[in-house]
Amino acid sequence: MTRSDVSPRDTRDAATAHAWAALGGDPALLERVTYRAVSGGLPARLPVAELARATVGVCSLAAAELGARRSGGAVPAVRVDEGAVATAFVSERHLRIDGRKPTNFAPLSGFWRAADGWVRTHANYPHHRGRLLAALGLSGDSGPDELAAALAARPARAIQETVYAAGGLAVAVAEPGESEIPLGALPLIESRRVGDAAPRRLGEAPQLANGVPAGGALYASGVLPAGGVLPASGVLPASGVRVLDLTRVIAGPVATRTLALLGADVLRIDSPRLPEDPDAHADTGFGKRSAALDLAVPEDRRTFEALLADADVVVTGYRPGALDPFGLAPDALLERHPGLVVAQLCAWGWSGPWAGRRGFDSLVQAATGIAAIEAKGDGDGRPGVLPAQALDHGTGYLLAGAVLRGLTERHGNGGGCHLRLSLAGTASWLIHGIAPDTVGDGPAHDPAPWLAETASDLGTLHHARSPVVSPDGPLDWARPPGRLGADAPRWL
């Protein structure tokens, strides 16, 4: 493992090297990444801590590389604190809104005994809850006891397929090596350059009265570099970058939250007809603005197309093909807007029989064998969970890193870029691609230094800080999350 007190040439972190190679990064830059160790941050049977630090490490390195490319300087070193990483990977658990602790899983979400094993359900959203109950012939006001009885009488695979056919969410818990998901065929990251558009320099960041980039972040000190003058590329690596954020829940919003931290103008777009958990947005909405547009309405579609015309990046987090009817298929986007960076995220991978299914981190853990591996082994056979929704958070930082590398390549070589990641691809890497390392040989993990309080329109937020660092140290978001859909659909 790369540490700040040993030679990174001799102890290069293998997971970081793998992730950086998947991003297409220059291996010579790996020596720029070092880590400050902590112990006990993300304890698990699987190498979750190794995955977590590697994803944040390569994201931080990609940010440093983009900043250097824009300024014309050398790529600086970045030092990632494993305590910050462990804290951020459970950011939703640290969140408090005016002292209130959000509920991360609804009563009908969880593990349940089936007639021949276990199933995992996800019913956090009202429409998913309704479909789960309807698929099982239960009334809409049924509770955990009624659900448990209905599931116990059915085989796990039959539950999975019945609920899927009804548009709900339930998966059979797979034993290690017996997953229905073709994990060996899933890449960590898919990337392709598209077209030969001329190199495209990024715009300058719009300025507030005090000189801080609007929508971006402050240096940890809260001040600009010496003299208060912005470098030619802006204070932060992604200053002036315009990002359309069409993502939900955790993984995609973590990626776009990170791009906002690094200076991008991130505008999240949601359909007014599709509910979102406001508490999830309170956790992942830092640095962004949020607007509501219904792409099935001609006027809203025209507004969205106008935003697209000036965007640098589009990030989507819907099932494969779900946005294609609105002209948002990657090839269609890149044909209309050469030079665009199009980044896509899904649950189960981009091909195969499960590609079109809905999914969440907890379900992917169950269906890939992770839940069985992490079982406590206390005799009742109940599956276990990772110490964090690490597939979500890890994929989010990888996605942000991939976008940053796409912008770096576009800045120098031109052309557009199409990126694809999946939670199942990250799960495959965790299970098969990361060897346990010497993690946790530092002081005991204490989240306190990595927590902050911020006033917002949602109330006072007690929240995790970002683990992504700049060469000058930690960063803070320039704006707290606002109310979903409350911002005008325009660029700053």
Side-chain angles (χ1 to χ4, degrees):
M1 169 182 178
T2 304
R3 301 289 184 190
S4 60
D5 55 349
V6 294
S7 169
R9 295 184 186 273
D10 298 329
T11 57
R12 181 172 294 173
D13 176 40
T16 301
H18 182 99
W20 186 241
L23 291 175
D26 180 357
L29 296 179
L30 282 167
E31 64 182 27
R32 303 290 190 181
V33 184
T34 58
Y35 298 99
R36 175 187 174 273
V38 299
S39 62
L42 294 168
R45 290 190 172 91
L46 288 165
V48 176
E50 291 89 337
L51 177 147
R53 74 178 179 205
T55 59
V56 174
V58 297
C59 183
S60 297
L61 182 57
E65 181 191 32
L66 177 60
R69 179 66 62 90
R70 296 182 72 182
S71 68
V75 177
V78 292
R79 186 169 186 257
V80 174
D81 193 299
E82 291 178 9
V85 173
T87 304
F89 262 61
V90 290
S91 61
E92 65 275 8
R93 300 180 196 173
H94 288 296
L95 180 68
R96 300 292 185 272
I97 306 171
D98 283 338
R100 176 180 64 84
K101 180 180 180 180
T103 300
N104 291 318
F105 286 101
L108 301 190
S109 296
F111 291 113
W112 310 86
R113 284 190 183 275
D116 59 351
W118 292 83
V119 294
R120 174 94 195 199
T121 60
H122 195 287
N124 284 11
Y125 290 97
H127 56 295
H128 290 158
R129 181 184 186 279
R131 293 168 187 171
L132 171 67
L133 294 174
L136 299 171
L138 298 173
S139 65
D141 61 353
S142 297
D145 291 343
E146 292 86 352
L147 178 62
L151 294 175
R154 295 170 167 85
R157 293 282 174 85
I159 294 167
Q160 172 182 286
E161 297 307 316
T162 299
V163 174
Y164 164 65
L169 292 154
V171 300
V173 174
E175 291 298 318
E178 298 181 6
S179 175
E180 295 182 62
I181 315 304
L183 295 176
L186 295 176
L188 184 59
I189 299 168
E190 298 177 68
S191 175
R192 63 185 177 102
R193 286 189 60 200
V194 180
D196 56 358
R200 184 173 171 184
R201 297 188 65 82
L202 296 169
E204 298 296 337
Q207 300 297 305
L208 299 179
N210 63 358
V212 176
L218 298 171
Y219 282 113
S221 63
V223 299
L224 295 175
V229 179
L230 291 171
S233 61
V235 169
L236 293 165
S239 293
V241 174
R242 289 173 166 173
V243 178
L244 276 176
D245 176 7
L246 283 74
T247 69
R248 296 164 52 79
V249 196
I250 296 179
V254 164
T256 51
R257 178 181 71 182
T258 301
L259 296 174
L261 178 88
L262 295 167
D265 178 11
V266 178
L267 180 60
R268 173 170 169 163
I269 302 294
D270 285 278
S271 168
R273 296 182 289 110
L274 191 60
E276 175 61 302
D277 180 0
D279 290 346
H281 177 64
D283 177 45
T284 60
F286 283 87
K288 312 177 199 177
R289 294 175 299 120
S290 168
L293 291 174
D294 187 340
L295 299 186
V297 175
E299 183 178 355
D300 283 6
R301 177 71 176 274
R302 286 191 293 271
T303 299
F304 183 80
E305 290 294 330
L307 292 168
L308 262 178
D310 292 323
D312 295 289
V313 179
V314 176
V315 185
T316 69
Y318 291 78
R319 287 172 294 144
L323 298 177
D324 292 4
F326 303 107
L328 297 180
D331 288 344
L333 279 172
L334 288 160
E335 181 178 357
R336 299 201 311 276
H337 305 286
L340 195 64
V341 175
V342 179
Q344 294 182 291
L345 166 73
C346 71
W348 303 107
W350 295 93
S351 61
W354 283 55
R357 298 194 179 202
R358 298 172 177 86
F360 294 87
D361 181 305
S362 59
L363 300 181
V364 177
Q365 287 189 41
T368 58
I370 290 173
I373 293 171
E374 294 293 335
K376 295 181 179 179
D378 54 9
D380 70 350
R382 176 174 291 274
V385 296
L386 298 176
Q389 295 195 68
L391 306 181
D392 267 331
H393 287 272
T395 306
Y397 291 113
L398 286 174
L399 182 59
V403 168
L404 294 165
R405 289 235 64 255
L407 291 168
T408 297
E409 293 294 326
R410 189 187 74 173
H411 192 76
N413 303 322
C417 182
H418 178 206
L419 306 162
R420 299 200 303 193
L421 293 84
S422 69
L423 302 185
T426 303
S428 177
W429 182 44
L430 175 63
I431 298 169
H432 302 295
I434 305 177
D437 203 348
T438 309
V439 171
D441 54 354
H445 171 52
D446 176 11
W450 308 107
L451 299 173
E453 279 202 352
T454 300
S456 78
D457 290 344
L458 307 178
T460 299
L461 304 179
H462 181 82
H463 61 93
R465 296 165 58 192
S466 176
V468 174
V469 295
S470 79
D472 296 277
L475 299 165
D476 291 319
W477 289 279
R479 67 174 69 238
R483 299 191 182 279
L484 273 167
D487 293 294
R490 61 177 178 80
W491 298 116
L492 293 174

